Amino acid sequence: MVCGPGRFVVEGNDVDAGKKLNVGVLGLGRMGTVHAAGLARHVPRARLLALADADLSAALRVAAELGLDVACCSTDEALSRDDIEAVVIATPTGTHGGLIERASAAGKHIFCEKPIALELEVIDQSLDVVASTGVLLQVGFNRRFDANFQRMRSGIAAGEIGAVHLFHIMSRDPCLPPLEYLRTSGGMFLDMMIHDFDMARFLIGEEIEEVFAMGAARIDPRVASEAQDVDTAMVAVRMSGGTLGAIDNSRRAVYGYDQRVEVFGADGLLRAENGAPDQVERIDATGRHGPRPFLFFSDRYPQTYITEMRGFVDAVLDGGTPPVVGADGRAAHVAALAARKSFELGRPVRTDEVNASRSTEESHRASDQPW
Ligand SMILES: NC(=O)c1ccc[n+]([C@@H]2O[C@H](COP(=O)([O-])OP(=O)(O)OC[C@H]3O[C@@H](n4cnc5c(N)ncnc54)[C@H](O)[C@@H]3O)[C@@H](O)[C@H]2O)c1
């Protein structure tokens, strides 16, 4: 927002931004809707041309809800249009690998929601195709773009708390998703905690070297019996520079979306608390009461989805490196795989135990990126 003399100007897509990037969104569920709205309204250098979904009615519904005058079509049609220069992949995770390969082959730059894929082999194949076609790929680790976490990272890098000794990342969703979702999600470590592994790399600036995971179905036993997953997990982490960390996840916090981080160092600590829709406190005969935290990711992190997309569009138009590259997605995935293996085996697992198929050169390149 620009503050002019006597008026506020909200920066929207009506701003003349020079050359624009023509974009199509693939998958118009929860995340596709967020990205379509952001691209259409808040990314001035993007021009949204198409919404594509395997279920055409989903694309039509989103276009109508958002009041967008864009093409609603199949994925094939979107990928075959010459005027579409980039695609946002917001389809279920199991489809990402195939779509990345097809979009790359069609010469489209790619913004792909996390995770890149569920299997490391598919991720490696996707990254190889991206590299060979020369398109840019950005991965949707949106939390890196949150103002609190960016402030923490710059404070750590500037030495505000001295040498970092410990971190604690708490990430708890407000409600258990349907069992059907859990069955195809890849499980809590790959689907949910992957954000937190990325946050650990982003904040601490070190690679994840070893994890020791515990998990349980504490909310609903059917999560274990019918989805072979956990709904509650705690992971101890050792980073490559020696920093120790704890990450805990729950699929159900009754008070809302709980996203807190603390980083502790030789000279103090940095802490980011939950946001809330208002800051009003009521004190009465029963005690002190405040608002509940934001309900879920689209309430807590709306600006992050816009900022990450602006970063992607700028990288394509200006010929730069995307702010979150494929190797970042791979490194967080490797940590998640190690956590899953640790949970299954009941012992600590080093990330290089699950990272045999590719040299660590790639992930070191990724770790250079945030710093
Ligand atoms: N970054 C975040 O905060 C965040 C939050 C939620 C989900 N995600 C990720 O976003 C992705 C999508 O999740 P969601 O919750 O929005 O899913 P969703 O189920 O709400 O929506 C998926 C949509 O994709 C469509 N679809 C399925 N296969 C398709 C195909 N081959 N081509 C085109 N359309 C297809 C479906 O019809 C549906 O409309 C997942 O990878 C998930 O991990 C990221």
Side-chain angles (χ1 to χ4, degrees):
M1 190 165 69
V2 182
C3 201
R7 71 194 185 102
F8 293 101
V9 181
V10 177
E11 195 183 286
N13 283 13
D14 50 342
V15 171
D16 180 6
K19 161 93 177 100
K20 291 184 190 249
L21 182 72
N22 293 330
V23 184
V25 176
L26 313 183
L28 275 305
R30 294 185 305 172
M31 276 320 299
T33 304
V34 169
H35 289 311
L39 282 162
R41 295 174 180 154
H42 302 294
V43 187
R45 301 183 80 194
R47 185 185 292 113
L48 181 59
L49 290 189
L51 302 181
D53 198 291
D55 172 7
L56 187 61
S57 68
L60 290 166
R61 188 174 59 248
V62 172
E65 278 171 11
L66 298 177
L68 302 178
D69 182 17
V70 297
C72 292
C73 58
S74 68
T75 309
D76 286 348
E77 283 173 80
L79 290 177
S80 63
R81 276 181 64 155
D82 289 337
D83 56 349
I84 291 182
E85 299 162 286
V87 291
V88 172
I89 298 178
T91 54
T93 302
T95 66
H96 291 183
L99 287 173
I100 289 173
E101 288 190 32
R102 289 175 58 201
S104 306
K108 318 286 185 213
H109 301 288
I110 301 162
F111 178 98
C112 183
E113 262 309 332
K114 48 58 61 178
I116 299 175
L118 294 178
E119 302 83 16
L120 193 55
E121 301 70 30
V122 176
I123 292 177
D124 286 343
Q125 191 174 323
S126 301
L127 297 188
D128 286 345
V129 173
V130 165
S132 69
T133 54
V135 299
L136 296 187
L137 169 68
Q138 181 168 328
V139 181
F141 284 133
N142 61 296
R143 294 181 198 170
R144 289 181 176 220
F145 301 85
D146 177 81
N148 290 326
F149 301 143
Q150 295 222 333
R151 164 74 187 88
M152 289 183 89
R153 188 190 91 158
S154 59
I156 292 165
E160 286 181 19
I161 57 169
V164 176
H165 296 173
L166 285 170
F167 65 86
H168 189 180
I169 300 174
M170 283 157 276
S171 182
R172 302 162 192 163
D173 282 355
C175 55
L176 193 65
L179 290 175
E180 189 48 43
Y181 173 86
L182 294 181
R183 279 189 206 104
T184 57
S185 68
M188 189 176 232
F189 300 109
L190 270 68
D191 175 55
M192 184 170 168
M193 200 177 283
I194 194 164
H195 272 296
D196 307 305
F197 291 127
D198 182 64
M199 185 53 59
R201 295 181 65 244
F202 174 71
L203 288 177
I204 309 301
E206 298 169 13
E207 288 301 322
I208 295 169
E209 199 168 78
E210 186 177 24
V211 294
F212 193 1
M214 293 187 188
R218 299 288 294 161
I219 299 166
D220 186 337
R222 290 176 305 162
V223 170
S225 61
E226 295 181 27
Q228 288 73 54
D229 198 3
V230 297
D231 55 33
T232 306
M234 168 70 83
V235 176
V237 180
R238 185 192 305 278
M239 306 296 287
S240 52
T243 304
L244 303 180
I247 299 173
D248 79 61
N249 279 185
S250 169
R251 288 282 191 186
R252 192 186 70 199
V254 292
Y255 45 87
Y257 193 41
D258 192 1
Q259 299 274 296
R260 289 171 288 148
V261 176
E262 180 174 297
V263 182
F264 174 87
D267 297 335
L269 67 82
L270 291 164
R271 182 159 57 205
E273 293 289 342
N274 283 315
D278 67 71
Q279 303 298 323
V280 178
E281 189 178 55
R282 186 184 87 244
I283 303 174
D284 62 17
T286 63
R288 190 185 282 257
H289 311 273
R292 297 198 317 178
F294 285 114
L295 191 59
F296 211 0
F297 57 85
S298 53
D299 312 301
R300 165 73 190 262
Y301 292 124
Q303 188 60 42
T304 66
Y305 298 111
I306 294 166
T307 314
E308 67 177 351
M309 203 56 75
R310 287 181 178 171
F312 171 65
V313 170
D314 287 349
V316 174
L317 289 177
D318 300 337
T321 303
V324 189
V325 295
D328 292 311
R330 186 183 191 279
H333 186 86
V334 164
L337 285 177
R340 191 173 72 184
K341 183 169 182 174
S342 168
F343 165 67
E344 288 166 358
L345 299 180
R347 65 162 173 83
V349 171
R350 291 178 55 87
T351 44
D352 55 18
E353 286 186 50
V354 296
N355 196 21
S357 64
R358 211 174 180 100
S359 80
T360 51
E361 192 188 322
E362 269 293 281
S363 47
H364 286 310
R365 201 149 56 76
S367 71
D368 288 344
Q369 185 66 20
W371 297 89

